[in-house]
Structures are given as C-alpha cells and as structure tokens.
Amino acid sequence: MKVSKEELYSLIMKKLEGAGLSSEHAKTTSEILVWSDLKGIHSHGAVRVDYYAERIAKKGINVTPQFQYTSPSSSVLIMDGDNGIGFEIAKIGMEKAIEIAKNHGVAVVGMKRMSHSGAIGYYTELAAKEGLLALSFCQSDPMVVPYGGTEPYYGTNPISFAAPSADGRIVLFDMATTVQAWGKILDRRSKGLDIPEGWAVDKNGSPTTDPYAVNALLPIAGPKGYGLMMMVDILSGMLLGLPFGKHVSSMYHDLSSNRELGQMHIVFNPEFFTDKDVFLKMMSQSLDELKQQTPAPGFEEVQYPGEGGINRMNIYLKEGIDIADSVMDYLKGKTIHQNKYDNKNRFAE
Ligand code: NAI
C-alpha cells in the first residue's frame, strides 16, 4: 500500500504516544522510522512500530529517562541514556558529536544503556549534512556464529560511514555485518522456499539451505565480517563497560527488561586535517569518476553507497511510500500493540 510520509509519521506517532512514549521522544522515533522507509530500508521502518510499542507499554523502555553526560576530555563524551528509547539517545549523541567535532576536530561519543536505535545511517548522515565525516557502530542481540563456530555469539552489529562532497551528494554506507537479516529467512519460510547457501548454519554449524533448520546467521565474508562484528562489539560494548558478545540482551526475550545496549559515534571535521574545500572537491571528483565507469554486464550503472536510498526516496516522495498491507492494517487499527513479541526465542518465531 502507498502512503504519504506525513500520514505514515502521524500513524506512527499515535502508536508510540499511545504506548506511553513522551511526545518529544515519539517525534524523534517517528522521524527516523519514516526516514528509513523513505530510503527503502523497510526492515527498520514502520514494520518495527508494533515491537517498540509493546516494549514501551511493558516498561522495557524508560519513557522518562534522565540522561547523564561525562566528558573526560574535550573530544570524548559519554552519554548514559538511562535505558530510554534508542532513537532519541543516538540522535542527541550525534548532535553532541557534531558540536564537539566542529570545535575540536574529532569527537568520540559513546552512548550506553539504550534501546534499539534502528537504521544507524540516519545518525551518520546528520554529520555529513554538516560537512563532517562520521562513523557509527552499535550492538545488537546475539544471533551470529563466530567464523568456524556453532553457537550464536555476536549480533548483526551494524557499521555506518558517511562523508560529504562539494556538490551536496553524501556517501552513506550503512550495513549489518551479517550476510542477511533474520527477516529474510522468515520471508523464505512464509513462501515455502529454501534459502541460498551462505546465509546461515544449523545447530551443528553446518551450512544449511533449509530455513527451518537455521540456528544462526553467518558473518559477511567469513573471517573478515567476523572481525568487523567483533570490532563493533568491542567499540560499542566493552569500551563502554557494557555486556558484550553473547551477554548482550535479546530483542525478544523479556520485553519488560531494559536492553542496556551501546553505540559509538566518531566524527571528523575535515578542516582539522586538510583544506576542506579541496577535500570536498576530491569527494565530488571521486563520485563522478565512479559513475563514469562502464557498467559491468548485468549492471545499469555504478552507484555510490547511499545513492540507491536517495533514488528511492525521490520516487517515494512523489508516489507515496510502499508499506506492507499488514503493517498499514496495524497502524490504522485501534490496538496499540498486538502482544506478538514477548518471550520469543532470539529469532522471534
Ligand atoms: P544493505 O545490504 O541494504 O546495504 C548495505 C550498503 O550497501 C548500503 O550502504 C547501501 O547503500 C550499499 N549498496 C547497496 N547496493 C549498492 C550498489 N548497487 N552500489 C553501491 N552501494 C550499494 O543493508 P543491510 O546490511 O541489510 O542493513 C540494513 C539496515 O539495517 C542498515 O540501516 C543498518 O543500520 C540496520 N541495522 C541495524 C541494526 C541495529 O541493531 N540497530 C542491526 C543490523 C542492521
């Protein structure tokens, strides 16, 4: 079903406020969920509202958090989010990081004790819109085997990087460190289809194509993705003194408990490293050169990271955003949440 961004925003607001979230935090959360759907990241948009509403209603998200900040040096800030909604905490964290990087060249902002913050590219894009470069990493619940292992240990631990150019184009790289999200496996089950090899393993750690035999997801590119997800866990978990690896809380286990997650933003101000104008022009030149390449067989063009999202957003703004009918039925209905997620196993079957 197609829906305008304004309608989607107000439907999401109603559910979040109905569940008990403050208007201020509901506005930020709705804005970021709509941004995700607009960019075509439907796995992290309106489809998640039912889950957030249930967790808010069951008090697993603190709706009156008292944020606390410690600043051990001019460029390092630690924010304790008091287990408030992750979207608000990650956005404030990036706003602080932008301010610090503008004044000091580099900002490292660690946010601890927060809930899920969705598609993390939203936060790095905020910095790039201010002419800065940003990285962000965050923890997520364990559902991935380490390379060569049999038991889930890491989350789908995402990485995002954003950088500006001289002409307004923004490179926005934003990915999970797993080959596929769990949602894609559920989708195959619902369609009665096998999964391609390389997505997941069974309880023995052997590759499986049977969507019902999946016990864990696989890291991207074997040991390389495994190393990246470990890096994310160390930077956004251990370095902030938080539960790490398999000790990270589950998204679906107990919706009345706080998640205690961590996220790390790192922001660079190019002015402190080189001539900013030269840097921005180099970025534009590089994007032009990439786009001028002859596409390989099967490709229409070379795209830069984030370009697909911009193209999708431009179409959605004209034609309306594609949202699954089942999600729209829920959003338009009276029920605040459908009591679907609590006490499920880690894959929310
Ligand atoms: P994806 O596989 O759709 O895209 C990954 C990256 O590849 C993007 O930067 C995209 O722009 C780029 N890309 C895709 N096709 C391209 C092409 N043809 N040419 C150039 N670049 C291209 O993303 P994935 O891994 O499915 O992640 C989806 C979202 O899930 C992300 O927003 C991520 O932040 C979020 N996430 C959030 C988690 C959390 O706990 N908060 C956990 C895991 C993921």
Side-chain angles (χ1 to χ4, degrees), residues 36-241:
S36 306
D37 276 318
L38 266 177
K39 292 280 183 115
I41 312 170
H42 296 299
S43 56
H44 286 72
V47 71
R48 302 270 177 143
V49 175
D50 192 8
Y51 162 76
Y52 296 129
E54 186 174 341
R55 193 160 206 123
I56 293 161
K58 293 185 170 174
K59 318 254 181 263
I61 289 174
N62 182 358
V63 293
T64 52
Q66 302 298 308
F67 301 147
Q68 284 182 13
Y69 302 93
T70 39
S71 183
S73 84
S74 54
S75 56
V76 178
L77 182 74
I78 309 295
M79 175 177 184
D80 185 326
D82 198 14
N83 282 304
I85 189 121
F87 297 88
E88 184 73 21
I89 294 162
K91 188 176 179 195
I92 292 178
M94 184 53 83
E95 287 164 354
K96 301 263 181 209
I98 289 169
E99 199 183 307
I100 294 169
K102 282 186 175 171
N103 293 319
H104 300 284
V106 175
V108 182
V109 174
M111 292 135 285
K112 58 183 185 183
R113 304 185 58 236
M114 61 194 288
S115 65
H116 193 247
S117 70
I120 63 169
Y122 176 86
Y123 313 105
T124 55
E125 190 190 70
L126 286 180
K129 283 180 173 166
E130 295 285 328
L132 307 168
L133 297 84
L135 282 161
S136 189
F137 316 100
C138 77
Q139 294 182 300
S140 81
D141 41 330
M143 53 168 71
V144 190
V145 277
Y147 184 65
T150 52
E151 291 159 36
Y153 192 83
Y154 287 120
T156 53
N157 297 1
I159 297 176
S160 180
F161 170 74
S165 71
D167 55 72
R169 284 177 295 179
I170 286 174
V171 168
L172 179 55
F173 180 64
D174 181 22
M175 64 155 207
T177 47
T178 40
V179 178
Q180 285 296 353
W182 175 246
K184 301 262 173 67
I185 288 162
L186 288 184
D187 185 49
R188 293 282 167 143
R189 279 186 187 173
S190 68
K191 293 178 178 151
L193 297 171
D194 281 353
I195 56 168
E197 225 167 282
W199 282 19
V201 290
D202 64 16
K203 61 179 176 4
N204 302 315
S206 301
T208 183
T209 56
D210 175 358
Y212 290 94
V214 172
N215 185 50
L217 303 174
L218 281 167
I220 49 168
K224 301 175 187 181
Y226 164 50
L228 286 174
M229 58 182 55
M230 176 188 277
M231 175 191 82
V232 171
D233 189 55
I234 294 168
L235 287 174
S236 59
M238 280 186 218
L239 195 57
L240 299 171

Side-chain angles (χ1 to χ4, degrees), residues 167 169 281-295 301-304:
D167 55 72
R169 284 177 295 179
K281 281 187 190 140
M282 280 182 179
M283 283 292 303
S284 291
Q285 182 185 337
S286 169
L287 298 184
D288 288 341
E289 287 169 359
L290 290 165
K291 295 218 56 78
Q292 280 155 11
Q293 282 216 5
T294 306
E301 58 171 355
V302 172
Q303 293 194 334
Y304 58 89

